Amino acid sequence: MTRPIATGNTQLLGIIGHPIAQVRAPEVWSALFKANGFDHLCIPMHVQPEDLGDFLTHVGRLQNLAGLIVTIPHKPAALSHVRYPTDRARLTGAVNVLRPAQDGSWAGDALDGMGFVSALAAQGRSVKGLRAVVVGSGGVGTSIAIAIAEAGAAEVSVADVAADRAADLSERIRSMGVTSSVVQPKAAGFDLVVNASPVGMRPDDPMPVDLTGISSDMIVADVVVHPRMTRHLTAAAEAGCFVQCGDQMMDAQLAHMASFFGFDTGDWSPQAVAAATL
C-alpha cells in the first residue's frame, strides 16, 4: 500500500518568508521525512512583514506544528517574539528556526552560520586564519559572520548598503576578539568572500561583489539558492576559485535543524538529501 501524503497524525514543519516561492526547504524536508519514516510535511507559508507578530501568536496554537524555519526578511524581527533564544541567537540578533515551547511561547536558534562552516569543512576547507568579507549583514549574513569568527578566522569584515547595520555587526565581531571593519563590497585582499545578501536571485541583479583581483586560491560563496550558480559564483569559478553554493550551506545545516526540532532519529546528512531528492 502506498503511504498517504498526509494523515490525521501528520506533523507540520513550516517555512515562513516574503517572498517564499524560491525556497527549497519544502521539497527537501518532505523528501527526507518520507525517507526517514516520519509522518511529517514541510510547507511554505507566505507571511508579510507587517503580519509576522500576529502570525506567530496564532500559528503557535496549532497542536501538530513541529516548528518553523524562518527565512528572509523575518530572521531579525522573529527574535523579538522568542522567549527562549540560544546564546548564539542573542549574539546574532536573529533566528532561523523556531520551536513551540511547553508554555506556549517560542524557542529559537540561528543555524545558518553553523551550516555555512560545516559545508566548507565537509569539503576539506577551514576558515581558521582566513581574512573574510561578508557582504550583507541581515539575519543570514550576521549568522555566517559570527560563525566564521567563532571558527577562528583572522578577520571578518562587513559590507552592506545599510552602513549602520554593518557597523553594528562589525562591532559585535570585534567584541569577540576578531579583527573587523566596515568595507566596500570588494574581494581584493580577502581569502574568503561571502555574498550573504539576496542580490543575485534575479537575472537582472547587479554583481553583489566587485571580484576585481580575485585569484584561484580564494574561496567565494553565495547564500542564494536559486539560481544555484549565480553570476557571482560563475565568475569566481571561471577564475579558478573554490566556490560554495547556497544549497550546500542549507543542506549542511539540516542535521543541526533536525536536532533543534527533536528529530533525533534518521539520516539528515547532505548525502541523504541527495538520495531523497533524486
Side-chain angles (χ1 to χ4, degrees):
M1 179 178 175
T2 302
R3 180 181 168 184
I5 293 174
T7 72
N9 293 314
T10 300
Q11 295 286 305
L12 302 179
L13 175 65
I15 176 166
I16 61 173
H18 172 67
I20 200 66
Q22 80 285 355
V23 297
R24 181 169 164 262
E27 170 194 356
V28 171
W29 276 105
S30 294
L32 282 172
F33 286 142
K34 182 177 180 180
N36 284 299
F38 280 67
D39 187 4
H40 286 52
L41 283 176
C42 181
I43 57 175
M45 299 177 175
H46 193 170
V47 180
Q48 294 278 356
E50 61 269 24
D51 297 328
L52 180 64
D54 286 343
F55 172 81
L56 291 177
T57 296
H58 296 295
V59 77
R61 296 175 182 172
L62 288 176
Q63 297 301 295
N64 64 332
L65 183 72
L68 296 171
I69 300 169
V70 185
T71 189
I72 57 173
H74 300 314
K75 295 178 185 184
L79 179 62
S80 65
H81 300 278
V82 175
R83 180 173 295 176
Y84 304 109
T86 62
D87 291 341
R88 175 172 45 245
R90 288 191 187 95
L91 182 60
T92 301
V95 289
N96 77 319
V97 284
L98 297 174
R99 180 184 67 233
Q102 290 186 345
D103 62 4
S105 61
W106 294 102
D109 203 348
L111 300 175
D112 285 315
M114 292 182 67
F116 183 90
V117 173
S118 294
L120 283 178
Q123 300 171 88
R125 303 281 171 155
S126 171
V127 302
K128 189 171 183 178
L130 300 187
R131 296 187 62 209
V133 58
V134 177
V135 179
S137 56
V140 63
T142 298
S143 184
I144 290 172
I146 295 296
I148 292 171
E150 288 180 332
E155 175 184 346
V156 184
S157 286
V158 184
D160 199 310
V161 292
D164 56 342
R165 193 170 66 181
D168 176 70
L169 175 54
S170 183
E171 183 177 349
R172 274 185 272 173
I173 294 167
R174 289 195 299 274
S175 74
M176 301 168 65
V178 177
T179 299
S180 181
S181 58
V182 177
V183 298
Q184 293 299 310
K186 297 181 179 180
F190 293 98
D191 309 303
L192 170 60
V193 180
V194 184
N195 174 38
S197 78
V199 178
M201 291 173 60
R202 296 179 294 270
D204 57 347
D205 277 351
M207 291 285 278
V209 185
D210 180 353
L211 296 179
T212 303
I214 60 172
S215 58
S216 59
D217 58 349
M218 295 170 64
I219 300 172
V220 179
D222 209 318
V223 303
V224 172
V225 174
H226 295 296
R228 186 174 194 270
M229 285 296 291
T230 58
R231 289 176 57 214
H232 172 235
L233 289 185
T234 299
E238 289 174 350
C241 298
F242 178 89
V243 299
Q244 177 166 291
C245 304
D247 62 346
Q248 291 172 292
M249 177 190 77
M250 175 182 167
D251 291 351
Q253 70 172 301
L254 291 180
H256 300 298
M257 287 183 168
S259 177
F260 175 82
F261 290 125
F263 309 146
D264 295 325
T265 60
D267 185 356
W268 314 100
S269 67
Q271 292 76 21
V273 174
T277 56
L278 286 176

